[in-house]
Amino acid sequence: MISKTSLTILAVSIALFFSCTTQKQESVFSVEGKLNNIDIKNVYLQQAKGLNATQFDIVDTLSVETDSTFSSSYRLEPHYYRLHIHDSLHVPFIADSGQQISIRFYGKGKYEVSGSPDTELFEEYEEFRMQVLRETVYPIRRPLEDLLEEDNPEESARIEKLGDRVLKAEEQYRDTLIHAVKKMGTSIAIYPTMVRWNGDKHMDYYDQLATDFAERHKGLEVAKLVSEKVRILKQVSIGGKVSEIVAPDTSGVERSLYNNLGKYTLIDFFGSWCGPCRSESDHLGKMYDRYHSSGFEIFGFGIEYEKDRWIRALKEDNRTWINVSTVDGYSNQIAEEYSITAIPKNFLVDENGIIVAKDIHGRELKEKLEELFSEQNP
């Protein structure tokens, strides 16, 4: 004879079984597609990783059938994925639970993704982003790059002026993107947009978004990444304390930011390949010469890919202060902890590493230093 207690336990076990089964079914998404005029045997499903969603790991290989079709179903977490077709063609998409994603290719790199409303949101965001870039940044950035290639000393004043305009245009560009992010709600499509989030001006919004996102996507990796991104944005906002930087200088000697803090220190993220970065070298040199004896330091971190090119740029631009680099681009812990996803980027900190200003260039930097050092020497 079965007791009432045993029946109760059995009923609960059956309920839990079906609950778990349902959850597993809900986590399934599928991908199918057909290639046109592309003769390959396999395509690769890749999953984005990290805070900036710029690196991908291969999670599956899909065989292409004789009729040029491919398909597969997955019990993978909802996330940001892409199909690697070949080195010059990747198809990004967002996969959420229960979605049946279809990809159609039309030749010459053109394709269409259907079955994923989240992907539609991301594509709308990307279209808006490129439109803003074309209208606000490119018309100024291209003339600056042309002037820098000419390498004419007589154009230094014009280069500095154009560089300042590019920086302001890029700031306007990033600030404008929040309007597109807000349209996404708590869709997983917000994850690949984090690379361009500006926390200082919109911290309250992003803080609430991370809370709402974590509630909707409990336990998912993307929820943890969004929360971590917001934590870092808070840390590198004005009033936050910067993380230590220890990296090799041009001679390979490890240099520490904390051991070289002045009364005020400008942490300058620079790149030899970055036109706007190079355009402000002369102005930074003037500020360094003027205030160094009063306790002003510059600590440069190179977002670099080639050591020789970095060293050459430092010499050409007369960047005589401490300069360090891990020479691995953005792929390092320092860039992550400072939320460096585009340069130039800088942080003005006090002797305790507390941020008093950031993204401050040209006249704004000059006026800020005048204010700070006049307060110390009334």
Side-chain angles (χ1 to χ4, degrees):
M1 181 175 178
I2 302 175
S3 67
K4 289 184 178 180
T5 302
S6 298
L7 288 172
T8 301
I9 293 173
L10 180 62
V12 171
S13 298
I14 292 172
L16 286 172
F17 171 78
F18 281 109
S19 173
C20 292
T21 302
T22 301
Q23 288 177 0
K24 287 182 179 179
Q25 290 297 327
E26 287 176 351
S27 70
V28 172
F29 66 89
S30 64
V31 178
E32 65 89 18
K34 183 172 184 177
L35 302 175
N36 290 314
N37 302 318
I38 303 176
D39 185 20
I40 54 177
K41 294 182 179 180
N42 300 303
V43 295
Y44 303 94
L45 180 67
Q46 299 176 322
Q47 184 183 60
K49 64 180 182 179
L51 295 178
N52 299 323
T54 53
Q55 295 179 301
F56 291 80
D57 285 335
I58 296 176
V59 293
D60 191 30
T61 301
L62 291 82
S63 297
V64 179
E65 305 298 331
T66 55
D67 61 354
S68 299
T69 63
F70 58 87
S71 64
S72 188
S73 294
Y74 297 98
R75 294 183 184 276
L76 296 169
E77 281 194 0
H79 214 289
Y80 174 43
Y81 295 91
R82 72 180 187 185
L83 272 185
H84 175 96
I85 310 303
H86 49 69
D87 288 343
S88 58
L89 179 57
H90 300 89
V91 180
F93 63 90
I94 313 294
D96 206 344
S97 298
Q99 293 180 347
Q100 297 178 331
I101 298 167
S102 179
I103 303 173
R104 290 292 176 265
F105 293 84
Y106 301 110
K108 297 183 179 179
K110 294 183 179 181
Y111 59 84
E112 181 180 5
V113 180
S114 60
S116 168
D118 303 277
T119 300
E120 291 177 16
L121 288 172
F122 180 60
E123 289 175 343
E124 288 174 7
Y125 166 86
E126 282 293 288
E127 184 178 347
F128 175 75
R129 184 179 74 83
M130 292 307 300
Q131 178 184 343
V132 176
L133 266 178
R134 287 191 293 266
E135 293 177 355
T136 62
V137 178
Y138 290 166
I140 310 170
R141 184 189 289 171
R142 289 182 183 123
L144 172 63
E145 291 172 349
D146 290 342
L147 277 177
L148 289 169
E149 285 183 8
E150 291 177 12
D151 195 24
N152 184 351
E154 295 182 1
E155 295 285 8
S156 59
R158 189 179 170 201
I159 288 172
E160 186 175 326
K161 186 176 180 179
L162 268 178
D164 188 54
R165 287 180 59 198
V166 169
L167 292 173
K168 286 181 169 55
E170 290 181 343
E171 182 180 3
Q172 177 188 351
Y173 153 69
R174 287 189 294 272
D175 288 341
T176 302
L177 294 181
I178 193 172
H179 300 296
V181 175
K182 287 181 176 179
K183 291 181 179 180
M184 297 180 175
T186 53
S187 165
I188 294 171
I190 71 167
Y191 163 54
T193 75
M194 295 195 310
V195 68
R196 299 176 185 87
W197 286 7
N198 184 347
D200 286 278
K201 295 184 179 179
H202 311 292
M203 199 69 253
D204 289 345
Y205 170 75
Y206 288 127
D207 199 14
Q208 186 61 52
L209 177 60
T211 299
D212 296 341
F213 191 86
E215 180 64 27
R216 179 178 172 185
H217 304 286
K218 285 182 179 179
L220 296 186
E221 182 190 22
V222 283
K224 297 174 184 177
L225 290 169
V226 170
S227 295
E228 176 65 4
K229 181 69 174 184
V230 171
R231 180 195 69 78
I232 291 174
L233 288 176
K234 287 180 179 178
Q235 180 177 306
V236 295
S237 295
I238 294 174
K241 183 173 182 177
V242 296
S243 299
E244 167 71 301
I245 296 175
V246 178
D249 63 16
T250 56
S251 300
V253 177
E254 296 281 313
R255 307 296 292 270
S256 160
L257 167 66
Y258 282 4
N259 290 342
N260 289 281
L261 289 174
K263 290 181 180 179
Y264 291 98
T265 302
L266 187 73
I267 306 169
D268 179 49
F269 288 88
F270 160 89
S272 59
W273 48 271
C274 167
C277 300
R278 310 254 335 236
S279 71
E280 63 178 354
S281 296
D282 185 57
H283 181 71
L284 286 181
K286 291 176 183 176
M287 295 299 97
Y288 186 69
D289 290 343
R290 181 172 180 179
Y291 293 107
H292 181 57
S293 60
S294 299
F296 177 54
E297 298 287 350
I298 301 179
F299 192 93
F301 185 91
I303 302 294
E304 299 291 346
Y305 301 91
E306 299 175 25
K307 186 173 181 179
D308 290 344
R309 183 175 178 178
W310 169 50
I311 294 174
R312 184 167 61 250
L314 295 179
K315 291 180 179 178
E316 290 175 355
D317 293 5
N318 198 30
R319 288 180 169 247
T320 57
W321 44 86
I322 294 175
N323 288 279
V324 300
S325 179
T326 49
V327 197
D328 55 358
Y330 292 97
S331 302
N332 56 76
Q333 188 67 26
I334 294 166
E336 184 172 296
E337 279 296 316
Y338 279 78
S339 192
I340 305 301
T341 58
I343 53 174
K345 186 87 176 176
N346 65 37
F347 301 85
L348 185 63
V349 303
D350 65 14
E351 58 191 349
N352 298 309
I354 304 300
I355 302 170
V356 298
K358 61 184 290 190
D359 297 327
I360 188 168
H361 307 274
R363 180 177 295 179
E364 292 178 353
L365 175 61
K366 179 176 180 291
E367 292 175 350
K368 186 65 177 180
L369 292 177
E370 287 175 350
E371 172 194 334
L372 293 172
F373 285 103
S374 64
E375 289 176 356
Q376 290 195 358
N377 303 287

